[in-house]
Amino acid sequence: MKNKVVVSSLVMAALAIGLLNVAPLPAAQEQPKKPPATLRSILLEELHTTHDKEEWFVPAKVALDGVTADQASWRDGKENHSIGQLAQHLLFWDRRALQQFNGEKPAAFSGNNNETFESFTAKDWDAIVKQLDEVMTAWEKAVEAADDARLAQTASTIEHIATHNAYHVGQILYVRKQQGSWNPEKGVK
């Protein structure tokens, strides 16, 4: 009988502990609930994390901050692109896609992607950084203002823009690390 009492006591204790673990927390400890994700919120998050919001990786605004025209022009001698060429390439494609999204006719383009890198000049560096920031901001505003049907129709393109931005921002960080101009306290060691 004594064994049954011990086992019964242990079972009761385990049940009590289990109930404590599933009991709701007091209201003061509950975390505020985020609204459910929407297509718009996901696309904006993707655009912001590649532009100006630090989360999983370094965004373009941080990656380009403090880069001089000389640093932007530096190449590793192995035919890899410079920071300036990468930023010019992003500016070209982000601007072109935004023009198309807005129903505007983009400037004539030969179709040679190499030209989107090679058009970089050091004298244009400050303007490129400013324009890239402006175009990325304009993309965010366009997504905020677009109706749901337009977002659904172009979601894949917008997602590809964010992915393309992330890819080349990673290259920019790599070049900065190679040239010794990256401060690891800004995100990537």
Side-chain angles (χ1 to χ4, degrees):
M1 179 78 172
K2 190 174 184 181
N3 286 344
K4 285 185 182 180
V5 171
V6 170
V7 169
S8 179
S9 295
L10 290 172
V11 168
M12 292 301 283
L15 283 172
I17 291 170
L19 287 174
L20 287 174
N21 286 334
V22 295
L25 295 172
Q29 293 180 353
E30 288 184 23
Q31 297 293 326
K33 292 187 178 182
K34 287 176 128 178
T38 64
L39 179 58
R40 182 181 323 279
S41 70
I42 291 168
L43 293 173
L44 284 170
E45 181 178 41
E46 288 185 1
L47 291 170
H48 276 293
T49 59
T50 62
H51 173 215
D52 59 3
K53 188 175 180 185
E54 295 180 63
E55 285 193 354
W56 287 34
F57 45 84
V58 175
K61 197 164 193 139
V62 174
L64 296 173
D65 184 45
V67 174
T68 66
D70 286 342
Q71 291 167 335
S73 301
W74 182 87
R75 294 183 67 175
D76 66 2
K78 299 178 184 172
E79 299 197 29
N80 292 315
H81 295 114
S82 70
I83 293 168
Q85 289 175 312
L86 294 164
Q88 175 64 46
H89 172 78
L90 285 175
L91 174 59
F92 176 86
W93 286 113
D94 283 9
R95 179 185 287 151
R96 186 174 184 81
L98 182 62
Q99 289 168 332
Q100 291 170 333
F101 181 83
N102 288 334
E104 301 166 8
K105 184 177 178 183
F109 173 56
S110 72
N112 181 351
N113 192 46
N114 289 333
E115 292 173 6
T116 68
F117 294 98
E118 294 165 359
S119 62
F120 167 73
T121 64
K123 70 179 178 59
D124 296 329
W125 175 240
D126 291 334
I128 290 167
V129 173
K130 182 177 186 252
Q131 290 171 26
L132 182 58
D133 182 58
E134 291 170 352
V135 167
M136 292 176 124
T137 299
W139 257 117
E140 294 150 10
K141 288 179 180 178
V143 169
E144 287 171 355
D147 63 39
D148 291 342
R150 181 75 172 129
L151 288 181
Q153 178 186 31
T154 57
S156 179
T157 298
I158 297 166
E159 186 278 327
H160 281 83
I161 290 163
T163 302
H164 183 246
N165 290 345
Y167 172 75
H168 287 301
V169 169
Q171 289 180 310
I172 288 167
L173 290 174
Y174 183 75
V175 173
R176 288 196 71 179
K177 287 175 83 173
Q178 281 184 309
Q179 68 184 209
S181 70
W182 179 246
N183 178 354
E185 292 179 15
K186 290 186 173 186
V188 178
K189 305 263 184 256

